[in-house]
Structure formats: C-alpha cells, structure tokens
Amino acid sequence: RPAVHKYIAASRKRMFINAKRKIENYIKTSPDTKRNLFIDCGSNVGQGFDFFSKFFTPGEYNYYLIEPNPHCEKVLRKIVDEHKDKCSMDFINKAVCAESGTIEMLGFDDDELSQACSIIPEKGSGIRSKQFNSSFVVEKLKFPDFIKQESLQYDKIIVKMDIEGAEYLILPNMLEFLKKKKPTIYLSTHPTFMSNPKKSMKKIYDVIKIYDNIYDDRLRKVEHEFILSEDKMKRGTQVIVSEKKLVPK
C-alpha cells in the first residue's frame, strides 16, 4: 500500500509539473500576453525614472536603470528596492558602450553626482566638457548585445538614452538591430561634448532616418533634419523617434 501511495504521489507531481510547463509556455507565447521593458540609459540619480514612470507604469513595464557613476549607486538601488514588489527592476552599474571591457569616466571633484559625467574623451565646445578635473574607471556594458538579448523576452522595448555624448558611438553600432526591431527611443544629443559636432550629429541623423516619425520634446512632429539645424548643433536637443505616431494627451 505505501508503494501505491508513492506511485500516486509521483504521478500527481508529474501532472503538476507538466501542467505548470504548459501554462508557462502559454504565457510566453500567447498573443494576449504583453511584456514591456523600459531601459533607462544614463539614470544619474533617478530623474528620468521619476518622469517616465508616470507614463510607463512599473508593473506594466519592467525596468533597467543603467548608470556607470558609482556615486549614484546608493540612490538608484533604493529606487529598485522601493519598486521590487511592483515589477522586475534591476540596476546596472556600467557605462552603455558599443563594446565590453572598462573605460575611464570623466567627472568633477566638486560635483560627484553630476549629470554631465562622460566617457567621451574629446574636449568639445561646451564649457562643461572643458571642466573635467577627475576620473575613475568603470565597466562597460556592450549595449547592442544587451538589447538584442532582451528583445527575445519582451514584446515592446522603450529606450531612454541620455549618456553625455556616448550616443554617437553606440547608436551607429545598433543600426541593424534598430532596422529590425525599431524600439521607441527618447534621445538626448550632446554635440558640444564632441570636437566635431557636425560630423557627430550626422551619425545620429543616419540612424534616426530609418524611423517614420520624429518628435521634439513638446511632441511636435518634426523633420529628421531637425537635429542638424545650427541651433541644435550648438546646444543639443531632445527627440523621440518611433515607428508609431505619438498623439499628445
């Protein structure tokens, strides 16, 4: 009799495991199941998350907060802890780059949490880019591979990219992926960090022209050449590129 009971228990366990697998497989493959991801590149101390999480609600979206500055880690880990019951959220203490390894990050002795810290070694025309007076070594995150891997798990990916000049290095290396997946990108450009702003902005233009829609920071639809205007060359800008038409609320 004990042997019969063991057999029944084992059979029930197998049935449970098989049913669990079928349910998990259905959740992963069902067209009614939407998995959304927001990747915050250049999180600093969470300003971008505070803003975008009002529109892309944790729970409806999972989050990555990516920031290389080690001085920002404490604040960002606190944000992750505060939202761990709402969604999957992770902090990555690395610099968004086109390749892996380590790199020197430039900063300021008088402002360790500065939003203007950069991995770009060029001395551009901007005043802030000429004032770097400290540096530290950070790990690099090979972002083209990272986002390609995440795209296997998510139906929709939105990227906020505010990385103090590194966008000119990364986006051209993502071109094939962007042509295929076309994630919506909230992009800040930093031409004054570059020694040749015109050449750098042309690289961005060559990437965003693959998208049907481009908007300024007031959600007004603009032409792709918008970023190449003399004014935007001098001070940079914020644009949204998307395959979908965005309608202001």
Side-chain angles (χ1 to χ4, degrees):
R1 204 170 214 178
V4 172
H5 290 166
K6 288 180 182 180
Y7 174 80
I8 293 173
S11 297
R12 286 176 176 172
K13 184 176 181 180
R14 282 194 298 271
M15 289 174 61
F16 172 80
I17 291 174
N18 289 335
K20 182 173 181 288
R21 286 174 179 166
K22 288 180 179 180
I23 292 171
E24 288 175 342
N25 185 61
Y26 172 79
I27 290 173
K28 289 179 181 178
T29 60
S30 172
D32 299 324
T33 302
K34 299 298 181 183
R35 302 194 69 214
N36 306 318
L37 177 66
F38 192 102
I39 304 177
D40 183 358
C41 300
S43 298
N44 194 240
V45 290
Q47 304 96 317
F49 173 77
D50 288 343
F51 176 79
F52 285 106
S53 62
K54 295 179 175 66
F55 305 95
F56 306 104
T57 310
E60 295 181 9
Y61 284 79
N62 291 334
Y63 273 79
Y64 280 107
L65 306 182
I66 307 177
E67 171 58 48
N69 189 339
H71 301 108
C72 301
E73 180 174 358
K74 183 177 179 180
V75 175
L76 294 175
R77 288 203 181 279
K78 182 179 179 182
I79 292 174
V80 171
D81 288 342
E82 289 172 347
H83 292 82
K84 62 184 178 182
D85 295 331
K86 299 177 182 177
C87 67
S88 173
M89 183 181 293
D90 287 306
F91 165 62
I92 299 177
N93 189 199
K94 296 182 180 182
V96 173
C97 291
E99 67 286 316
S100 56
T102 59
I103 194 168
E104 183 181 45
M105 186 168 202
L106 306 174
F108 313 93
D109 284 335
D110 60 343
D111 189 3
E112 291 182 337
L113 299 178
S114 173
Q115 298 180 59
C117 292
S118 178
I119 61 170
I120 298 299
E122 300 182 34
K123 293 287 186 177
S125 59
I127 294 176
R128 203 63 171 138
S129 70
K130 296 178 181 179
Q131 295 176 338
F132 292 126
N133 56 14
S134 69
S135 66
F136 40 91
V137 175
V138 298
E139 284 190 67
K140 295 190 289 187
L141 174 67
K142 191 174 182 179
F143 194 69
D145 286 359
F146 172 81
I147 193 170
K148 184 178 180 180
Q149 185 64 36
E150 292 301 322
S151 72
L152 302 176
Q153 305 178 54
Y154 288 94
D155 301 284
K156 181 194 295 183
I157 294 179
I158 296 176
V159 179
K160 176 224 125 183
M161 188 170 286
D162 186 2
I163 49 179
E164 311 307 311
E167 64 272 12
Y168 302 109
L169 305 178
I170 296 160
L171 288 175
N173 281 280
M174 293 174 58
L175 188 56
E176 291 308 311
F177 171 82
L178 296 177
K179 285 179 179 178
K180 183 178 179 181
K181 294 294 185 178
K182 301 270 182 83
T184 296
I185 303 175
Y186 291 78
L187 174 66
S188 293
T189 64
H190 303 82
T192 60
F193 275 67
M194 313 305 291
S195 58
N196 190 332
K198 186 174 182 179
K199 182 179 179 181
S200 298
M201 290 296 274
K202 180 62 167 57
K203 289 182 179 180
I204 299 298
Y205 171 80
D206 289 340
V207 172
I208 68 172
K209 71 181 182 182
I210 69 172
Y211 283 83
D212 288 339
N213 304 291
I214 177 170
Y215 301 86
D216 67 10
D217 56 1
R218 296 184 182 181
L219 278 185
R220 298 174 298 192
K221 191 168 183 180
V222 295
E223 298 299 322
H224 294 76
E225 290 77 10
F226 170 79
I227 68 167
L228 298 177
S229 68
E230 184 177 349
D231 178 54
K232 303 302 179 289
M233 292 283 190
K234 290 180 179 179
R235 61 183 181 87
T237 189
Q238 292 80 42
V239 293
I240 305 165
V241 292
S242 179
E243 275 301 280
K244 295 184 177 181
K245 291 184 178 180
L246 304 181
V247 180
K249 292 183 178 181

